[in-house]
Structure formats: C-alpha cells, structure tokens
Amino acid sequence: TLPAEPSILPVAERTLVLVKPDGVRRGLSGEILRRVEAKGYTLRAVRLMDATPELLAAHYAEHEGKPFYQPLVDFMLSGPVLAVVAEGNNVIAGFRSLAGATDPTVAAPGTIRGDLGRDWGLKVVQNLVHGSDSTESAAREIGLWFPELV
Ligand code: IDP
C-alpha cells in the first residue's frame, strides 16, 4: 500500500516559535522559517508584532528574579518579533533540536543558533529564536501570542 498523504496524517503537536528581535533585525526571519519548513513542519500562523511588557512578563514568568530577566525583557522589546505556530509530529522537541543550545557559542553547527548566532558581549544571550519546551508550555505560549487560535 502507498503511504498516507502528509496532509491526512494525524497532527500531534504545535509549538510556539519566536524569531527574536535580533533575528528580525538581521534579516534572518526567512532563513529561520525556511529551516522549519525544510524539516517538514507546517507553518500554522505567522505574525510580525511588537511584544509588550505584559506579554513578556507572562511569557517569561519562570525567569522572573534571575539576573538576565530584565535584560531579556528589554531585548525582546527592542524591535519586532516574528511569532509563529509550527505544527507536526514531535515539533516541540524537533524545533528545539533545530534551534540548538541556548548559548550560540556552543550550539552545534547545523543548528539555527550554531550556524547563525554568536556572543555579542551583552547581558542577555541573543540567540535568535525561542521554542516552547513542553506541551504545557506550548499550549500556554500559543494562548499568549495567538489568543485567537485557542
Ligand atoms: P531557551 O530559550 O534555550 O529555552 P531559557 O533557559 O528558557 O532558554 O532562557 C530564556 C532566554 O533567556 C534564552 O533564550 C536567552 O535569550 C536568555 N538567557 C537564558 N539564560 C541566560 C543567561 O545565563 N544569561 C543571559 N541570558 C540568558
């Protein structure tokens, strides 16, 4: 028998991907989305937007109180963010694998952060992308960035 058409395979997961302001500023949005699509994931929603302090406080609540928290929020407010919902089986783990380690200096070549990122000597790690880290985070974050989808 022939394999099922990709379009009728069950879709197990969605994840929130953000191209952070450094990625948008450097003109890497297309390259980053290209990698997501080339991997085989589907773009379900894409929106260029300005984050707000309220949105970021909710999004990064787990990091409140850490030394990099305020620099992180300020960085995320420094320019537009490309918010994306990507879909596919195991896309949560799959996108984090595409993104690479948090620190772009040690992120493996072949990953978004490893190929395109570096240490800029700043208080916050500017590492081009965010990706949800669990199904719970994905549901919560998609609800924050795309309330109309839930
Ligand atoms: P992740 O984005 O790889 O999941 P998290 O630990 O959730 O990493 O941290 C959120 C973001 O905060 C990182 O992507 C990075 O931009 C920033 N960050 C994390 N740890 C540090 C740090 O030790 N110094 C400066 N910035 C950091």
Side-chain angles (χ1 to χ4, degrees):
T1 58
L2 292 169
E5 290 293 324
S7 60
I8 61 172
L9 287 173
V11 168
E13 278 183 355
R14 289 181 174 188
T15 194
L16 180 80
V17 171
L18 299 176
V19 179
K20 296 181 178 184
D22 56 334
V24 174
R25 218 162 12 237
R26 290 178 55 204
L28 295 172
S29 301
E31 168 65 18
I32 290 165
L33 293 188
R34 187 195 65 74
R35 289 174 181 230
V36 174
E37 288 193 300
K39 179 80 172 175
Y41 300 128
T42 301
L43 305 180
R44 190 52 64 199
V46 177
R47 180 191 295 136
L48 187 70
M49 57 187 283
D50 295 313
T52 63
E54 297 71 29
L55 177 56
L56 293 168
H59 179 82
Y60 283 127
E62 66 173 299
H63 295 304
E64 203 190 335
K66 295 181 184 173
F68 61 85
Y69 176 77
Q70 198 55 49
L72 175 61
V73 169
D74 292 344
F75 161 55
M76 292 296 288
L77 291 170
S78 69
V81 170
L82 192 74
V84 177
V85 176
E87 191 172 86
N89 294 330
N90 289 309
V91 68
I92 295 171
F95 178 76
R96 288 182 67 85
S97 175
L98 283 183
T102 303
D103 179 351
T105 296
V106 300
T111 65
I112 292 167
R113 291 162 170 173
D115 284 349
L116 308 174
R118 53 161 286 192
D119 181 354
W120 300 97
L122 302 168
K123 283 184 194 159
V124 64
V125 170
Q126 298 202 352
N127 54 7
L128 300 167
V129 290
H130 165 84
S132 309
D133 66 3
S134 66
T135 50
E136 295 74 25
S137 304
R140 190 178 68 82
E141 293 171 2
I142 290 169
L144 289 171
W145 292 82
F146 291 96
E148 73 278 13
L149 283 189
V150 291

